[in-house]
Amino acid sequence: QGLRSPALDTGCPFKNTESGRLPALTSLQNRKRHPLMPHDLKINPAGFASGNPHFPTLELEEISRDEGLLSAWMRLLEKDGVKALSKVSGDFSVGVRLDNRTFLAVDRFAIRSLCYRVIGNELRFAPRADELADVSTEVDPQAIFDYLHSHCIPSPRTIFKDIYRLPPAHYALFENGRLTVAPYWTPIFKENEKAPFDRLRDEFRALLRQAVERQMAGNDGKAGCFLSGGTDSSTVAGMIGEVRGTPAATYSIGFQAE
């Protein structure tokens, strides 16, 4: 069927929305017709939010703490729209319905997953692709090829036909009958050849410690870390011990094989 290497395939038909209009979004509150909608949407039809986002202002952080993540996201997007997404760090996925607009977004590394599909007059979204599938949904042969080729299914494709996953640092906006999928943040690398090694080393350690401290914030239990045998996991385990003052609980998996 003309299967292609994922490196040569963009996969998502909604990236270019100039070619035609999509059906208008309808209400997601008809639960009888949508048994596979995520639980968060059943609780709050305005949308759902997950993860540990770091909002750009103290006011939004307080709203997140007192009223919940979804309220903070709604306040941010109502005020600044899509351009506000680049100011949020941390891991997150969010789907928010505001008036006639629907925003979907995932964090810069897509640690939190968010999938979507269009059926008839509806835009549906959920954290997992299988939550959007039904008995008539077909498996995508190209996705199987991608998995065998790359040991993963690169976004925006999922294992199912016509169900897509937001790529890292991307948003989806459904407005006026159009669905736009685009990046909200792009990494910028500027090599400074004049920077001394000692300063770069200290800057890296400071950033690593900051990242671990953020992950540990609000977690009073003992931190655990999976040791894969490489330098990444052992570095994180060591930094957890430095931040906490006590060694991290570490785990490895082994098996016998001939």
Side-chain angles (χ1 to χ4, degrees):
Q1 299 184 8
L3 302 180
R4 295 169 290 177
S5 167
L8 304 176
D9 187 14
T10 58
C12 179
F14 303 127
K15 282 195 171 182
N16 182 359
T17 59
E18 298 301 323
S19 58
R21 293 175 61 85
L22 288 171
L25 176 69
T26 59
S27 173
L28 297 177
Q29 299 182 42
N30 189 341
R31 300 171 190 171
K32 291 183 179 179
R33 293 184 59 198
H34 310 304
L36 297 176
M37 294 306 294
H39 297 298
D40 289 347
L41 279 180
K42 293 180 181 179
I43 297 173
N44 192 337
F48 80 100
S50 66
N52 301 284
H54 300 286
F55 293 104
T57 66
L58 179 60
E59 177 188 10
L60 289 171
E61 290 287 352
E62 291 176 347
I63 293 174
S64 174
R65 182 182 64 249
D66 299 337
E67 302 177 28
L69 284 178
L70 186 59
S71 295
W73 277 112
M74 293 180 72
R75 181 72 63 87
L76 177 66
L77 293 170
E78 284 174 345
K79 181 180 179 181
D80 298 324
V82 170
K83 65 181 181 180
L85 293 170
S86 63
K87 303 175 183 178
V88 182
S89 59
D91 60 290
F92 63 83
S93 66
V94 59
V96 176
R97 300 175 63 242
L98 299 171
D99 299 324
N100 295 322
R101 298 171 296 163
T102 298
F103 293 92
L104 309 179
V106 294
D107 60 78
R108 298 178 184 183
F109 291 92
I111 297 173
R112 301 280 177 163
S113 179
L114 188 58
C115 301
Y116 63 93
R117 74 183 300 187
V118 175
I119 297 182
N121 295 325
E122 298 168 306
L123 173 66
R124 305 185 188 182
F125 55 93
R128 293 169 53 102
D130 58 353
E131 291 182 280
L132 298 174
D134 53 37
V135 293
S136 64
T137 304
E138 298 181 20
V139 171
D140 187 352
Q142 177 65 46
I144 297 176
F145 178 87
D146 291 352
Y147 183 80
L148 296 175
H149 180 277
S150 305
H151 302 288
C152 68
I153 302 174
S155 57
R157 182 172 275 112
T158 70
I159 191 66
F160 301 109
K161 284 186 177 180
D162 300 323
I163 298 179
Y164 301 95
R165 176 178 291 106
L166 274 179
H170 274 62
Y171 74 92
L173 172 62
F174 192 92
E175 184 177 23
N176 297 326
R178 292 182 180 273
L179 181 65
T180 301
V181 179
Y184 64 81
W185 176 83
T186 303
I188 299 175
F189 177 72
K190 295 181 180 180
E191 185 174 5
N192 187 348
E193 297 179 356
K194 297 181 180 179
F197 174 80
D198 290 348
R199 183 167 72 81
L200 294 175
R201 178 199 61 201
D202 294 341
E203 180 182 1
F204 174 77
R205 285 183 60 88
L207 290 171
L208 180 61
R209 182 184 178 93
Q210 180 189 69
V212 172
E213 285 177 338
R214 283 181 173 180
Q215 290 298 109
M216 295 293 100
N219 181 7
D220 297 328
K222 190 172 183 179
C225 186
F226 172 70
L227 289 181
S228 63
T231 58
D232 294 352
S233 58
S234 57
T235 299
V236 171
M239 189 57 70
I240 291 174
E242 184 175 312
V243 170
R244 282 292 182 86
T246 57
T250 57
Y251 305 88
S252 295
I253 298 175
F255 57 90
Q256 295 182 348
E258 296 182 359

